[in-house]
Amino acid sequence: MTEPAPSSPSPPSAPVGLRTIAREWGRIGCVGFGGPPAHIALLRRLVVRDRRWLDAEEFEDGIAATNLLPGPASTQLAILCAWRLRGVPGALIGGLCFIVPGLVAILLLSALFLSGEAPVWVRGAAAGAGAAVAAVAVRAALDLIPSSRARSAGSRGHRARWYAYLLIGGVATVTLGPYLVLVLLACGFAELAVRRVPIRTRMLPPFFPPFLAGAPLAAGGLAAVAWLAFKVGALSYGGGFVIIPLMQSEAVTNYHWMTSGEFTTAVALGQITPGPVVHTVAVVGYAAAGVGGGLLAALVAFAPSFALVLAAAPRFDRLRASPAVQGFFDGAGPAVIGAIAGSAVTLGLTLAHPWQFGVLAAAALALLALRRGVVTTLLGAGVLGVFAGLAGLPVT
């Protein structure tokens, strides 16, 4: 007897209107400060607690499923929840309404903070917030460690490999720049090889040819912006911060679209605006080619999320149960955490003024010891930067 296919969660008894999806997902997009934890909490409150469109188990399955895909997981969760309610039209409308408010906000702030004629207080705020970003990266890595280590709670060999992958990811971030993603893929496949898991390519997370993953585009301009944005959207396993070293290498070193200080400002803007950290790529696009470059970067970066969710949604149950998928992420997951921690080193090396190191130390104390919120800490660092600029300290 053949085993029945996994059943899909039943939709609400009455179809949810597309206007309702647009309004509610747009509201979350406007107030979703604080990154993925805030987005998940707001979505859970809407679809599980208040509207009862999905039950708690469906929602938790959605969280687990979207973490199997590359790209911004909270954005993909928003798309998936809307897909559960109204299929493809709901997914498209819900996803766009979730993304657009933060995109508009970050492009407006980009015009202000990246202006060559910005007043001293604006440049000071950018330098102060940018100085705190390295501490944010450390916090992001530490927050991911407990759940990842729990997955390696088996044999001593499994735990040893977890630490090895973590170290490899950190070292690769500092030394390899845009080729980091090749190391993340290698760690995932190495774990599969150790476990001798038969690989069925259709059950693995979607990749394009690995040799393309780290390759910069020889041409510059909009083609290079689009290529970088595609890699950001298609390869950001493990959360938004893993894209930071990739973007930093391309935007600062290869194409010189931004200075190191401007890049840390871009990362800070991605943290203090609502929506996913992936919005940072819109700031890079803006620096490269103005508003058109920012919009192009956002379009290309988020397109894989829509494509992957719509393609994989009917098969999420099988993906989650696949030993190949689970084994791959047991290898790539700790390497991603190491990469995020390693990005703190590269970001810290961009600081140019002694007072910024004081701001970084204060931010580390707030985030790591006092466990303050990321948005609050970055805003506080920005205020310190304003004072530094008004006091006559160098801010550029």
mmCIF file with all atom_site columns, all heavy atoms in Angstrom, residues 33-56:
data_model
loop_
_atom_site.group_PDB
_atom_site.id
_atom_site.type_symbol
_atom_site.label_atom_id
_atom_site.label_alt_id
_atom_site.label_comp_id
_atom_site.label_asym_id
_atom_site.label_entity_id
_atom_site.label_seq_id
_atom_site.pdbx_PDB_ins_code
_atom_site.Cartn_x
_atom_site.Cartn_y
_atom_site.Cartn_z
_atom_site.occupancy
_atom_site.B_iso_or_equiv
_atom_site.pdbx_formal_charge
_atom_site.auth_seq_id
_atom_site.auth_comp_id
_atom_site.auth_asym_id
_atom_site.auth_atom_id
_atom_site.pdbx_PDB_model_num
ATOM 1   N N   . PHE A 1 33 ? 9.792  46.775 13.108 1.00 0.00 ? 33 PHE A N   1
ATOM 2   C CA  . PHE A 1 33 ? 11.148 47.080 13.533 1.00 0.00 ? 33 PHE A CA  1
ATOM 3   C C   . PHE A 1 33 ? 11.668 45.940 14.409 1.00 0.00 ? 33 PHE A C   1
ATOM 4   O O   . PHE A 1 33 ? 10.917 45.348 15.169 1.00 0.00 ? 33 PHE A O   1
ATOM 5   C CB  . PHE A 1 33 ? 11.190 48.389 14.327 1.00 0.00 ? 33 PHE A CB  1
ATOM 6   C CG  . PHE A 1 33 ? 10.797 49.600 13.515 1.00 0.00 ? 33 PHE A CG  1
ATOM 7   C CD1 . PHE A 1 33 ? 9.476  50.021 13.479 1.00 0.00 ? 33 PHE A CD1 1
ATOM 8   C CD2 . PHE A 1 33 ? 11.741 50.303 12.793 1.00 0.00 ? 33 PHE A CD2 1
ATOM 9   C CE1 . PHE A 1 33 ? 9.103  51.127 12.738 1.00 0.00 ? 33 PHE A CE1 1
ATOM 10  C CE2 . PHE A 1 33 ? 11.380 51.418 12.049 1.00 0.00 ? 33 PHE A CE2 1
ATOM 11  C CZ  . PHE A 1 33 ? 10.057 51.829 12.019 1.00 0.00 ? 33 PHE A CZ  1
ATOM 12  N N   . GLY A 1 34 ? 12.975 45.685 14.309 1.00 0.00 ? 34 GLY A N   1
ATOM 13  C CA  . GLY A 1 34 ? 13.570 44.695 15.199 1.00 0.00 ? 34 GLY A CA  1
ATOM 14  C C   . GLY A 1 34 ? 13.948 43.392 14.533 1.00 0.00 ? 34 GLY A C   1
ATOM 15  O O   . GLY A 1 34 ? 14.374 42.456 15.212 1.00 0.00 ? 34 GLY A O   1
ATOM 16  N N   . GLY A 1 35 ? 13.803 43.290 13.215 1.00 0.00 ? 35 GLY A N   1
ATOM 17  C CA  . GLY A 1 35 ? 14.277 42.119 12.505 1.00 0.00 ? 35 GLY A CA  1
ATOM 18  C C   . GLY A 1 35 ? 13.347 40.921 12.582 1.00 0.00 ? 35 GLY A C   1
ATOM 19  O O   . GLY A 1 35 ? 12.198 41.021 13.016 1.00 0.00 ? 35 GLY A O   1
ATOM 20  N N   . PRO A 1 36 ? 13.826 39.733 12.178 1.00 0.00 ? 36 PRO A N   1
ATOM 21  C CA  . PRO A 1 36 ? 12.985 38.542 12.081 1.00 0.00 ? 36 PRO A CA  1
ATOM 22  C C   . PRO A 1 36 ? 12.193 38.190 13.329 1.00 0.00 ? 36 PRO A C   1
ATOM 23  O O   . PRO A 1 36 ? 11.019 37.815 13.215 1.00 0.00 ? 36 PRO A O   1
ATOM 24  C CB  . PRO A 1 36 ? 13.997 37.440 11.720 1.00 0.00 ? 36 PRO A CB  1
ATOM 25  C CG  . PRO A 1 36 ? 15.069 38.161 10.983 1.00 0.00 ? 36 PRO A CG  1
ATOM 26  C CD  . PRO A 1 36 ? 15.188 39.492 11.644 1.00 0.00 ? 36 PRO A CD  1
ATOM 27  N N   . PRO A 1 37 ? 12.757 38.281 14.558 1.00 0.00 ? 37 PRO A N   1
ATOM 28  C CA  . PRO A 1 37 ? 11.929 37.938 15.720 1.00 0.00 ? 37 PRO A CA  1
ATOM 29  C C   . PRO A 1 37 ? 10.669 38.790 15.815 1.00 0.00 ? 37 PRO A C   1
ATOM 30  O O   . PRO A 1 37 ? 9.591  38.283 16.140 1.00 0.00 ? 37 PRO A O   1
ATOM 31  C CB  . PRO A 1 37 ? 12.871 38.181 16.905 1.00 0.00 ? 37 PRO A CB  1
ATOM 32  C CG  . PRO A 1 37 ? 14.239 38.031 16.349 1.00 0.00 ? 37 PRO A CG  1
ATOM 33  C CD  . PRO A 1 37 ? 14.156 38.578 14.955 1.00 0.00 ? 37 PRO A CD  1
ATOM 34  N N   . ALA A 1 38 ? 10.807 40.094 15.519 1.00 0.00 ? 38 ALA A N   1
ATOM 35  C CA  . ALA A 1 38 ? 9.637  40.978 15.555 1.00 0.00 ? 38 ALA A CA  1
ATOM 36  C C   . ALA A 1 38 ? 8.658  40.624 14.448 1.00 0.00 ? 38 ALA A C   1
ATOM 37  O O   . ALA A 1 38 ? 7.436  40.607 14.669 1.00 0.00 ? 38 ALA A O   1
ATOM 38  C CB  . ALA A 1 38 ? 10.079 42.435 15.440 1.00 0.00 ? 38 ALA A CB  1
ATOM 39  N N   . HIS A 1 39 ? 9.162  40.328 13.260 1.00 0.00 ? 39 HIS A N   1
ATOM 40  C CA  . HIS A 1 39 ? 8.277  39.982 12.149 1.00 0.00 ? 39 HIS A CA  1
ATOM 41  C C   . HIS A 1 39 ? 7.481  38.718 12.449 1.00 0.00 ? 39 HIS A C   1
ATOM 42  O O   . HIS A 1 39 ? 6.274  38.650 12.204 1.00 0.00 ? 39 HIS A O   1
ATOM 43  C CB  . HIS A 1 39 ? 9.094  39.770 10.867 1.00 0.00 ? 39 HIS A CB  1
ATOM 44  C CG  . HIS A 1 39 ? 9.973  40.917 10.505 1.00 0.00 ? 39 HIS A CG  1
ATOM 45  N ND1 . HIS A 1 39 ? 11.100 40.786 9.725  1.00 0.00 ? 39 HIS A ND1 1
ATOM 46  C CD2 . HIS A 1 39 ? 9.902  42.237 10.830 1.00 0.00 ? 39 HIS A CD2 1
ATOM 47  C CE1 . HIS A 1 39 ? 11.680 41.949 9.574  1.00 0.00 ? 39 HIS A CE1 1
ATOM 48  N NE2 . HIS A 1 39 ? 10.977 42.844 10.243 1.00 0.00 ? 39 HIS A NE2 1
ATOM 49  N N   . ILE A 1 40 ? 8.169  37.717 12.985 1.00 0.00 ? 40 ILE A N   1
ATOM 50  C CA  . ILE A 1 40 ? 7.498  36.451 13.296 1.00 0.00 ? 40 ILE A CA  1
ATOM 51  C C   . ILE A 1 40 ? 6.430  36.655 14.366 1.00 0.00 ? 40 ILE A C   1
ATOM 52  O O   . ILE A 1 40 ? 5.320  36.122 14.270 1.00 0.00 ? 40 ILE A O   1
ATOM 53  C CB  . ILE A 1 40 ? 8.530  35.403 13.728 1.00 0.00 ? 40 ILE A CB  1
ATOM 54  C CG1 . ILE A 1 40 ? 9.415  35.024 12.530 1.00 0.00 ? 40 ILE A CG1 1
ATOM 55  C CG2 . ILE A 1 40 ? 7.852  34.163 14.298 1.00 0.00 ? 40 ILE A CG2 1
ATOM 56  C CD1 . ILE A 1 40 ? 10.607 34.157 12.898 1.00 0.00 ? 40 ILE A CD1 1
ATOM 57  N N   . ALA A 1 41 ? 6.762  37.453 15.388 1.00 0.00 ? 41 ALA A N   1
ATOM 58  C CA  . ALA A 1 41 ? 5.787  37.705 16.453 1.00 0.00 ? 41 ALA A CA  1
ATOM 59  C C   . ALA A 1 41 ? 4.558  38.422 15.917 1.00 0.00 ? 41 ALA A C   1
ATOM 60  O O   . ALA A 1 41 ? 3.417  38.091 16.278 1.00 0.00 ? 41 ALA A O   1
ATOM 61  C CB  . ALA A 1 41 ? 6.436  38.530 17.568 1.00 0.00 ? 41 ALA A CB  1
ATOM 62  N N   . LEU A 1 42 ? 4.749  39.402 15.040 1.00 0.00 ? 42 LEU A N   1
ATOM 63  C CA  . LEU A 1 42 ? 3.620  40.140 14.479 1.00 0.00 ? 42 LEU A CA  1
ATOM 64  C C   . LEU A 1 42 ? 2.769  39.246 13.579 1.00 0.00 ? 42 LEU A C   1
ATOM 65  O O   . LEU A 1 42 ? 1.529  39.314 13.602 1.00 0.00 ? 42 LEU A O   1
ATOM 66  C CB  . LEU A 1 42 ? 4.130  41.353 13.693 1.00 0.00 ? 42 LEU A CB  1
ATOM 67  C CG  . LEU A 1 42 ? 4.709  42.492 14.542 1.00 0.00 ? 42 LEU A CG  1
ATOM 68  C CD1 . LEU A 1 42 ? 5.443  43.495 13.652 1.00 0.00 ? 42 LEU A CD1 1
ATOM 69  C CD2 . LEU A 1 42 ? 3.609  43.200 15.327 1.00 0.00 ? 42 LEU A CD2 1
ATOM 70  N N   . LEU A 1 43 ? 3.415  38.415 12.777 1.00 0.00 ? 43 LEU A N   1
ATOM 71  C CA  . LEU A 1 43 ? 2.668  37.497 11.918 1.00 0.00 ? 43 LEU A CA  1
ATOM 72  C C   . LEU A 1 43 ? 1.891  36.488 12.747 1.00 0.00 ? 43 LEU A C   1
ATOM 73  O O   . LEU A 1 43 ? 0.728  36.179 12.451 1.00 0.00 ? 43 LEU A O   1
ATOM 74  C CB  . LEU A 1 43 ? 3.625  36.783 10.964 1.00 0.00 ? 43 LEU A CB  1
ATOM 75  C CG  . LEU A 1 43 ? 4.133  37.588 9.767  1.00 0.00 ? 43 LEU A CG  1
ATOM 76  C CD1 . LEU A 1 43 ? 5.316  36.892 9.105  1.00 0.00 ? 43 LEU A CD1 1
ATOM 77  C CD2 . LEU A 1 43 ? 3.015  37.806 8.742  1.00 0.00 ? 43 LEU A CD2 1
ATOM 78  N N   . ARG A 1 44 ? 2.530  35.956 13.795 1.00 0.00 ? 44 ARG A N   1
ATOM 79  C CA  . ARG A 1 44 ? 1.837  34.979 14.645 1.00 0.00 ? 44 ARG A CA  1
ATOM 80  C C   . ARG A 1 44 ? 0.614  35.621 15.305 1.00 0.00 ? 44 ARG A C   1
ATOM 81  O O   . ARG A 1 44 ? -0.459 35.014 15.360 1.00 0.00 ? 44 ARG A O   1
ATOM 82  C CB  . ARG A 1 44 ? 2.789  34.449 15.710 1.00 0.00 ? 44 ARG A CB  1
ATOM 83  C CG  . ARG A 1 44 ? 2.133  33.410 16.630 1.00 0.00 ? 44 ARG A CG  1
ATOM 84  C CD  . ARG A 1 44 ? 3.039  32.987 17.752 1.00 0.00 ? 44 ARG A CD  1
ATOM 85  N NE  . ARG A 1 44 ? 4.049  32.037 17.323 1.00 0.00 ? 44 ARG A NE  1
ATOM 86  C CZ  . ARG A 1 44 ? 5.334  32.300 17.242 1.00 0.00 ? 44 ARG A CZ  1
ATOM 87  N NH1 . ARG A 1 44 ? 5.782  33.509 17.549 1.00 0.00 ? 44 ARG A NH1 1
ATOM 88  N NH2 . ARG A 1 44 ? 6.200  31.377 16.859 1.00 0.00 ? 44 ARG A NH2 1
ATOM 89  N N   . ARG A 1 45 ? 0.779  36.827 15.801 1.00 0.00 ? 45 ARG A N   1
ATOM 90  C CA  . ARG A 1 45 ? -0.339 37.513 16.447 1.00 0.00 ? 45 ARG A CA  1
ATOM 91  C C   . ARG A 1 45 ? -1.493 37.708 15.463 1.00 0.00 ? 45 ARG A C   1
ATOM 92  O O   . ARG A 1 45 ? -2.657 37.523 15.816 1.00 0.00 ? 45 ARG A O   1
ATOM 93  C CB  . ARG A 1 45 ? 0.118  38.874 16.981 1.00 0.00 ? 45 ARG A CB  1
ATOM 94  C CG  . ARG A 1 45 ? -0.971 39.645 17.711 1.00 0.00 ? 45 ARG A CG  1
ATOM 95  C CD  . ARG A 1 45 ? -0.455 41.000 18.161 1.00 0.00 ? 45 ARG A CD  1
ATOM 96  N NE  . ARG A 1 45 ? 0.744  40.869 18.980 1.00 0.00 ? 45 ARG A NE  1
ATOM 97  C CZ  . ARG A 1 45 ? 1.508  41.899 19.333 1.00 0.00 ? 45 ARG A CZ  1
ATOM 98  N NH1 . ARG A 1 45 ? 1.228  43.121 18.910 1.00 0.00 ? 45 ARG A NH1 1
ATOM 99  N NH2 . ARG A 1 45 ? 2.559  41.695 20.108 1.00 0.00 ? 45 ARG A NH2 1
ATOM 100 N N   . LEU A 1 46 ? -1.164 38.045 14.213 1.00 0.00 ? 46 LEU A N   1
ATOM 101 C CA  . LEU A 1 46 ? -2.206 38.296 13.218 1.00 0.00 ? 46 LEU A CA  1
ATOM 102 C C   . LEU A 1 46 ? -2.914 37.014 12.798 1.00 0.00 ? 46 LEU A C   1
ATOM 103 O O   . LEU A 1 46 ? -4.145 36.905 12.915 1.00 0.00 ? 46 LEU A O   1
ATOM 104 C CB  . LEU A 1 46 ? -1.596 38.981 11.994 1.00 0.00 ? 46 LEU A CB  1
ATOM 105 C CG  . LEU A 1 46 ? -2.523 39.120 10.772 1.00 0.00 ? 46 LEU A CG  1
ATOM 106 C CD1 . LEU A 1 46 ? -3.672 40.077 11.073 1.00 0.00 ? 46 LEU A CD1 1
ATOM 107 C CD2 . LEU A 1 46 ? -1.731 39.577 9.551  1.00 0.00 ? 46 LEU A CD2 1
ATOM 108 N N   . VAL A 1 47 ? -2.141 36.043 12.288 1.00 0.00 ? 47 VAL A N   1
ATOM 109 C CA  . VAL A 1 47 ? -2.772 34.908 11.607 1.00 0.00 ? 47 VAL A CA  1
ATOM 110 C C   . VAL A 1 47 ? -3.195 33.793 12.550 1.00 0.00 ? 47 VAL A C   1
ATOM 111 O O   . VAL A 1 47 ? -4.083 33.000 12.211 1.00 0.00 ? 47 VAL A O   1
ATOM 112 C CB  . VAL A 1 47 ? -1.847 34.342 10.501 1.00 0.00 ? 47 VAL A CB  1
ATOM 113 C CG1 . VAL A 1 47 ? -1.502 35.410 9.485  1.00 0.00 ? 47 VAL A CG1 1
ATOM 114 C CG2 . VAL A 1 47 ? -0.589 33.725 11.079 1.00 0.00 ? 47 VAL A CG2 1
ATOM 115 N N   . VAL A 1 48 ? -2.572 33.714 13.747 1.00 0.00 ? 48 VAL A N   1
ATOM 116 C CA  . VAL A 1 48 ? -2.904 32.638 14.688 1.00 0.00 ? 48 VAL A CA  1
ATOM 117 C C   . VAL A 1 48 ? -3.801 33.157 15.801 1.00 0.00 ? 48 VAL A C   1
ATOM 118 O O   . VAL A 1 48 ? -4.881 32.604 16.056 1.00 0.00 ? 48 VAL A O   1
ATOM 119 C CB  . VAL A 1 48 ? -1.622 32.000 15.266 1.00 0.00 ? 48 VAL A CB  1
ATOM 120 C CG1 . VAL A 1 48 ? -1.975 30.940 16.313 1.00 0.00 ? 48 VAL A CG1 1
ATOM 121 C CG2 . VAL A 1 48 ? -0.782 31.396 14.158 1.00 0.00 ? 48 VAL A CG2 1
ATOM 122 N N   . ARG A 1 49 ? -3.368 34.199 16.502 1.00 0.00 ? 49 ARG A N   1
ATOM 123 C CA  . ARG A 1 49 ? -4.089 34.624 17.696 1.00 0.00 ? 49 ARG A CA  1
ATOM 124 C C   . ARG A 1 49 ? -5.321 35.462 17.390 1.00 0.00 ? 49 ARG A C   1
ATOM 125 O O   . ARG A 1 49 ? -6.420 35.170 17.870 1.00 0.00 ? 49 ARG A O   1
ATOM 126 C CB  . ARG A 1 49 ? -3.155 35.425 18.618 1.00 0.00 ? 49 ARG A CB  1
ATOM 127 C CG  . ARG A 1 49 ? -3.715 35.634 20.008 1.00 0.00 ? 49 ARG A CG  1
ATOM 128 C CD  . ARG A 1 49 ? -2.918 36.647 20.789 1.00 0.00 ? 49 ARG A CD  1
ATOM 129 N NE  . ARG A 1 49 ? -3.159 38.006 20.325 1.00 0.00 ? 49 ARG A NE  1
ATOM 130 C CZ  . ARG A 1 49 ? -2.607 39.090 20.870 1.00 0.00 ? 49 ARG A CZ  1
ATOM 131 N NH1 . ARG A 1 49 ? -1.752 38.962 21.868 1.00 0.00 ? 49 ARG A NH1 1
ATOM 132 N NH2 . ARG A 1 49 ? -2.888 40.293 20.413 1.00 0.00 ? 49 ARG A NH2 1
ATOM 133 N N   . ASP A 1 50 ? -5.151 36.518 16.565 1.00 0.00 ? 50 ASP A N   1
ATOM 134 C CA  . ASP A 1 50 ? -6.246 37.463 16.373 1.00 0.00 ? 50 ASP A CA  1
ATOM 135 C C   . ASP A 1 50 ? -7.266 36.987 15.333 1.00 0.00 ? 50 ASP A C   1
ATOM 136 O O   . ASP A 1 50 ? -8.465 36.997 15.593 1.00 0.00 ? 50 ASP A O   1
ATOM 137 C CB  . ASP A 1 50 ? -5.693 38.840 15.958 1.00 0.00 ? 50 ASP A CB  1
ATOM 138 C CG  . ASP A 1 50 ? -4.882 39.484 17.065 1.00 0.00 ? 50 ASP A CG  1
ATOM 139 O OD1 . ASP A 1 50 ? -4.982 39.011 18.220 1.00 0.00 ? 50 ASP A OD1 1
ATOM 140 O OD2 . ASP A 1 50 ? -4.147 40.452 16.794 1.00 0.00 ? 50 ASP A OD2 1
ATOM 141 N N   . ARG A 1 51 ? -6.802 36.591 14.165 1.00 0.00 ? 51 ARG A N   1
ATOM 142 C CA  . ARG A 1 51 ? -7.714 36.228 13.076 1.00 0.00 ? 51 ARG A CA  1
ATOM 143 C C   . ARG A 1 51 ? -8.002 34.745 12.990 1.00 0.00 ? 51 ARG A C   1
ATOM 144 O O   . ARG A 1 51 ? -8.924 34.338 12.307 1.00 0.00 ? 51 ARG A O   1
ATOM 145 C CB  . ARG A 1 51 ? -7.148 36.725 11.741 1.00 0.00 ? 51 ARG A CB  1
ATOM 146 C CG  . ARG A 1 51 ? -7.011 38.242 11.629 1.00 0.00 ? 51 ARG A CG  1
ATOM 147 C CD  . ARG A 1 51 ? -8.348 38.945 11.784 1.00 0.00 ? 51 ARG A CD  1
ATOM 148 N NE  . ARG A 1 51 ? -8.242 40.358 11.483 1.00 0.00 ? 51 ARG A NE  1
ATOM 149 C CZ  . ARG A 1 51 ? -8.640 40.925 10.350 1.00 0.00 ? 51 ARG A CZ  1
ATOM 150 N NH1 . ARG A 1 51 ? -9.170 40.163 9.404  1.00 0.00 ? 51 ARG A NH1 1
ATOM 151 N NH2 . ARG A 1 51 ? -8.508 42.218 10.155 1.00 0.00 ? 51 ARG A NH2 1
ATOM 152 N N   . ARG A 1 52 ? -7.176 33.910 13.592 1.00 0.00 ? 52 ARG A N   1
ATOM 153 C CA  . ARG A 1 52 ? -7.344 32.449 13.561 1.00 0.00 ? 52 ARG A CA  1
ATOM 154 C C   . ARG A 1 52 ? -7.428 31.907 12.129 1.00 0.00 ? 52 ARG A C   1
ATOM 155 O O   . ARG A 1 52 ? -8.188 30.987 11.833 1.00 0.00 ? 52 ARG A O   1
ATOM 156 C CB  . ARG A 1 52 ? -8.581 32.025 14.362 1.00 0.00 ? 52 ARG A CB  1
ATOM 157 C CG  . ARG A 1 52 ? -8.529 32.442 15.826 1.00 0.00 ? 52 ARG A CG  1
ATOM 158 C CD  . ARG A 1 52 ? -9.765 31.972 16.577 1.00 0.00 ? 52 ARG A CD  1
ATOM 159 N NE  . ARG A 1 52 ? -9.773 32.461 17.950 1.00 0.00 ? 52 ARG A NE  1
ATOM 160 C CZ  . ARG A 1 52 ? -9.179 31.868 18.967 1.00 0.00 ? 52 ARG A CZ  1
ATOM 161 N NH1 . ARG A 1 52 ? -8.514 30.742 18.766 1.00 0.00 ? 52 ARG A NH1 1
ATOM 162 N NH2 . ARG A 1 52 ? -9.227 32.391 20.179 1.00 0.00 ? 52 ARG A NH2 1
ATOM 163 N N   . TRP A 1 53 ? -6.643 32.490 11.256 1.00 0.00 ? 53 TRP A N   1
ATOM 164 C CA  . TRP A 1 53 ? -6.596 32.008 9.880  1.00 0.00 ? 53 TRP A CA  1
ATOM 165 C C   . TRP A 1 53 ? -5.787 30.710 9.786  1.00 0.00 ? 53 TRP A C   1
ATOM 166 O O   . TRP A 1 53 ? -6.050 29.865 8.935  1.00 0.00 ? 53 TRP A O   1
ATOM 167 C CB  . TRP A 1 53 ? -5.962 33.063 8.982  1.00 0.00 ? 53 TRP A CB  1
ATOM 168 C CG  . TRP A 1 53 ? -6.855 34.246 8.712  1.00 0.00 ? 53 TRP A CG  1
ATOM 169 C CD1 . TRP A 1 53 ? -8.217 34.245 8.629  1.00 0.00 ? 53 TRP A CD1 1
ATOM 170 C CD2 . TRP A 1 53 ? -6.438 35.592 8.482  1.00 0.00 ? 53 TRP A CD2 1
ATOM 171 N NE1 . TRP A 1 53 ? -8.672 35.516 8.364  1.00 0.00 ? 53 TRP A NE1 1
ATOM 172 C CE2 . TRP A 1 53 ? -7.603 36.363 8.265  1.00 0.00 ? 53 TRP A CE2 1
ATOM 173 C CE3 . TRP A 1 53 ? -5.203 36.238 8.440  1.00 0.00 ? 53 TRP A CE3 1
ATOM 174 C CZ2 . TRP A 1 53 ? -7.567 37.731 7.997  1.00 0.00 ? 53 TRP A CZ2 1
ATOM 175 C CZ3 . TRP A 1 53 ? -5.160 37.587 8.174  1.00 0.00 ? 53 TRP A CZ3 1
ATOM 176 C CH2 . TRP A 1 53 ? -6.331 38.322 7.949  1.00 0.00 ? 53 TRP A CH2 1
ATOM 177 N N   . LEU A 1 54 ? -4.763 30.581 10.622 1.00 0.00 ? 54 LEU A N   1
ATOM 178 C CA  . LEU A 1 54 ? -3.946 29.372 10.684 1.00 0.00 ? 54 LEU A CA  1
ATOM 179 C C   . LEU A 1 54 ? -3.877 28.909 12.131 1.00 0.00 ? 54 LEU A C   1
ATOM 180 O O   . LEU A 1 54 ? -3.973 29.728 13.055 1.00 0.00 ? 54 LEU A O   1
ATOM 181 C CB  . LEU A 1 54 ? -2.526 29.645 10.173 1.00 0.00 ? 54 LEU A CB  1
ATOM 182 C CG  . LEU A 1 54 ? -2.361 30.171 8.744  1.00 0.00 ? 54 LEU A CG  1
ATOM 183 C CD1 . LEU A 1 54 ? -0.888 30.458 8.461  1.00 0.00 ? 54 LEU A CD1 1
ATOM 184 C CD2 . LEU A 1 54 ? -2.916 29.191 7.727  1.00 0.00 ? 54 LEU A CD2 1
ATOM 185 N N   . ASP A 1 55 ? -3.701 27.603 12.337 1.00 0.00 ? 55 ASP A N   1
ATOM 186 C CA  . ASP A 1 55 ? -3.504 27.155 13.712 1.00 0.00 ? 55 ASP A CA  1
ATOM 187 C C   . ASP A 1 55 ? -2.021 27.231 14.066 1.00 0.00 ? 55 ASP A C   1
ATOM 188 O O   . ASP A 1 55 ? -1.156 27.426 13.200 1.00 0.00 ? 55 ASP A O   1
ATOM 189 C CB  . ASP A 1 55 ? -4.058 25.754 13.941 1.00 0.00 ? 55 ASP A CB  1
ATOM 190 C CG  . ASP A 1 55 ? -3.398 24.692 13.083 1.00 0.00 ? 55 ASP A CG  1
ATOM 191 O OD1 . ASP A 1 55 ? -2.159 24.748 12.910 1.00 0.00 ? 55 ASP A OD1 1
ATOM 192 O OD2 . ASP A 1 55 ? -4.107 23.789 12.597 1.00 0.00 ? 55 ASP A OD2 1
ATOM 193 N N   . ALA A 1 56 ? -1.713 27.098 15.343 1.00 0.00 ? 56 ALA A N   1
ATOM 194 C CA  . ALA A 1 56 ? -0.345 27.299 15.824 1.00 0.00 ? 56 ALA A CA  1
ATOM 195 C C   . ALA A 1 56 ? 0.629  26.304 15.185 1.00 0.00 ? 56 ALA A C   1
ATOM 196 O O   . ALA A 1 56 ? 1.771  26.650 14.855 1.00 0.00 ? 56 ALA A O   1
ATOM 197 C CB  . ALA A 1 56 ? -0.303 27.174 17.347 1.00 0.00 ? 56 ALA A CB  1
#
